[in-house]
Amino acid sequence: MTSPADMANAIRFLSMDAVEAAKSGHPGMPMGMADVATVLFTRFLKFDAKAPRWADRDRFVLSAGHGSMLLYALGYLTGYEDLDIDQIRKFRQFGARTAGHPEFGHVAIAETTTGPLGQGLANAVGLALGEKMMAARHGDGIVNHYTYVIAGDGCLMEGISQEAISLAGHWGLSKLILLWDDNHICIDGDTALSTSEDQLARFSAAKWDVTRVDGHDPEAIAAAIEAAKASDRPSLIACRTVIGFGAPTKGGTEKVHGAPLGAEEIAGARAKLGWPHAPFEIPAPILDAWRAAGRRGATERAAWEARLAAYPERAEFERTVAGRLPEGWHQTVLDFKRKVTAEQPKWATRKSSQEALEALTPVIPELIGGSADLTHSNLTHTKVTRSITPTDFSGRYIHYGVREHGMAAIMNGLSLHGGFIPYGGTFLIFANYLWPALRMSAMMNRRVIYVLTHDSIGLGEDGPTHQPIETVTALRATPNVLVFRPCDPVETMEAYEAALDNETGPSVLALSRQNLPTLRTIHSDDNLTARGGYILAESDLESRQVTLLATGSEVSLALEAKDLLESQGIGTAVVSLPCWELFERQTKEYRSAVLGDGTVRVAVEALGTFGWERWVGDNGAVIGMTGFGASAPADTLYNHFGITARAVAEAALARL
């Protein structure tokens, strides 16, 4: 009979051999956590390797993503079809699915992309929250699964871990179980070099259930998981392990963390652990036992499918899990646009955002909001988005507290879980705090919406600490992110429409604090914002000599500059450019027509000027910020820093 030790050793030697073949990688964690993973996958995890996207499967997150061979070995051994032995042999090679760190969408067993430490743990909190929220909607006959996460010392050192565990404990996410690889080793050496925390006390203070086990004792591990499943709190199981378990001279040291063991050390491990098999060879009885574990959940899956077939709300469940928006929601957009073009309110675009959400959230029930303790500044709450509480998960609004990084990573987890389109708010400047998770949204092609208000020096008196200068430029430089800076209520709703239609990446809405006029006063069914840029006002004179480009709060300023120039007989057009990324996707002919080939181009934006040269050309000008802002009313700041209609007009005149 195949023993748990034999099955764990299969993980260890696949990991050793793959890292050795690649000449790079991290063998130590997979070797140390092989016993824990074996117990989890053979005795507890509800999954079916032949149906990896089954909606009610348990989720497993390898937060310590550098130990990716643990995940790949588990995928191959249990029979995931996209992880054959050839993929293991090609670990870390170009074109292989077995990347150095696990990537969502590359291998089915990866529930999320991990590698930046701590983010996987926060994603897991989002996954567990998603389970709670979906169960509140559909009942535990349809939604009833656990989220397991393996994290290392590095994950728990990262600041995001505190944000995540604090929220998980506050919400009482009892189906979240964290298996901590407590090996006392970091890259520099013993963890005592940089930390002396009592992690169990830390988690206990955050309202987690905590326990400590020998991470190489299968029965102790199993008993701890059983107890965790019975707890009414999220659970931390500190698994005391030896990094690189089985390596005769390097085991238990930092030398096995991030480098191949070498042929001599691997030979010694084979002798020490009684594994006489050739590299990448798994004896048939051991592989058969693992494949049986991969089939173990098939019966549960079939029973769940029968329950789903009889569920009256099956179509709605399947629609939201698949990410399909409800029929007819675009009509809500058109109705909103007609209303605001007729009424022409003077709203800050953060207010325009709130009004757009008030229209959208009733017709898109999977649209769930939140804010990092700035609800009444971001204006992200609507009448139908009741708050989530530790005792009621049926609502649609999440109070993340002052935890921007955690918020973004949890939104990724909610998106990955399925059934939700999350949006979350903070000030634009604090995109700097959540950036690593926004980057993962982009890398994983997640439809997550970032509502980032107080978007320029126009926020005024809060001063330079809160006035974003470089932030939008950096967001625009991030691949696969749509960055919208709308100028009025019409563009704001169009930005939401484009963001919701964008199924392959995140969107950012950069929104003003100060009131702005409605500039789109004639209704159009077309979503002009979805083109990225368009002519808002063509020259009133016979020919166009100047093209003024602007976004957001500066579009109205560009219109004032147009009037100044045309009063002097200079034909001037104003182009609103709310989304550079979408404008770049238009045809060359369209872009040329909008930008006005042969005209003098001047751009104005109350942010940093970097990047605008791609649109104004070598002979153009950019009116914007070249340093940090100051504390004063917005009008004073615009005048002080020379961001005025007159400055725009003078820059154009100087180049004619």
Side-chain angles (χ1 to χ4, degrees), residues 325-341:
L325 289 164
E327 295 291 331
W329 75 274
H330 287 286
Q331 186 60 47
T332 300
V333 173
L334 295 178
D335 292 344
F336 180 92
K337 287 167 61 177
R338 285 193 186 92
K339 185 174 188 292
V340 294
T341 53

Side-chain angles (χ1 to χ4, degrees), residues 543-561:
S543 62
R544 191 202 310 187
Q545 295 172 266
V546 172
T547 302
L548 304 180
L549 312 174
T551 72
S553 46
E554 286 69 67
V555 176
S556 58
L557 189 150
L559 288 168
E560 293 176 30

